Amino acid sequence: MTEGSLVSARLLVFRVGTLVCAADVDQVREILPRLPTTRIPGAPPVVAGLVNVRGTLVTVVEGWRALGLPPLSPTPSPEAGTTGSTIILELGKAEDAASGSQQAHGGGAARKLIGFTVDEVMDMLAVGETTLEDRQGLPGIDPTLVRAVGRRDGELFIVLDVAALLGPILPS
């Protein structure tokens, strides 16, 4: 997707560690409290495990690991409970909608559900033309994962390219 297609987009803004990020709302299926996962033997460390979301098994990715960030705090003990949220994303949905696919009629490529852990869901906002800037090199984040940079209440956030971030983690 190009930055021009983000002009009228709605974004979900969230925090992963100290990094404020956003994803296109059209890719978000739902937001759940952080769910305990079942570890998958042999899975890469970025994969937290599987969760059952109303009968569908969903692979959950640790957001901070996927973005190459250090953990915000040491791994909490099981007694401390889990904090944050799991965002259930549909890979392929926004791309299909942008290309005019026949997904509404049951056609098009199969979409994948994936969970993405975040520390805090902050806001949902509509993007105006002046809100977003072209993507730029940001320290600590791979520029290929950034679609654009925005500003919310004077604070910068990055609009993630969800397909580029999560696609390589989950091969077909």
Side-chain angles (χ1 to χ4, degrees):
M1 246 185 185
T2 63
E3 280 75 34
S5 63
L6 287 172
V7 170
S8 61
R10 292 179 306 146
L11 299 173
L12 179 70
V13 181
F14 50 88
R15 184 178 51 78
V16 177
T18 57
L19 186 65
V20 180
C21 305
D24 193 325
V25 169
D26 290 339
Q27 293 179 299
V28 177
R29 181 169 176 185
E30 61 187 303
I31 302 167
L32 301 169
R34 180 87 186 249
L35 302 168
T37 59
T38 301
R39 185 81 183 130
I40 305 169
V46 71
V47 175
L50 291 173
V51 294
N52 184 333
V53 179
R54 285 180 285 294
T56 301
L57 288 179
V58 177
T59 303
V60 177
V61 170
E62 290 284 358
W64 63 273
R65 287 185 195 249
L67 291 168
L69 301 173
L72 191 57
S73 61
T75 305
S77 66
E79 299 83 37
T82 55
T83 59
S85 299
T86 300
I87 300 173
I88 306 297
L89 298 164
E90 287 187 73
L91 290 187
K93 185 174 184 175
E95 292 83 4
D96 291 345
S99 64
S101 150
Q102 298 174 2
Q103 68 178 9
H105 303 290
R111 296 184 304 260
K112 295 181 190 176
L113 290 182
I114 186 166
F116 187 75
T117 64
V118 300
D119 293 303
E120 177 186 10
V121 175
M122 301 171 73
D123 201 358
M124 187 178 86
L125 54 96
V127 176
E129 213 166 319
T130 58
T131 307
L132 295 181
E133 304 164 9
D134 288 336
R135 70 181 188 183
Q136 55 194 7
L138 298 171
I141 186 83
D142 180 353
T144 62
L145 305 178
V146 179
R147 288 175 52 200
V149 177
R151 189 173 297 273
R152 173 188 161 272
D153 298 331
E155 182 178 33
L156 285 176
F157 66 88
I158 60 169
V159 179
L160 293 174
D161 184 337
V162 174
L165 176 66
L166 300 176
I169 295 169
L170 295 177
S172 307

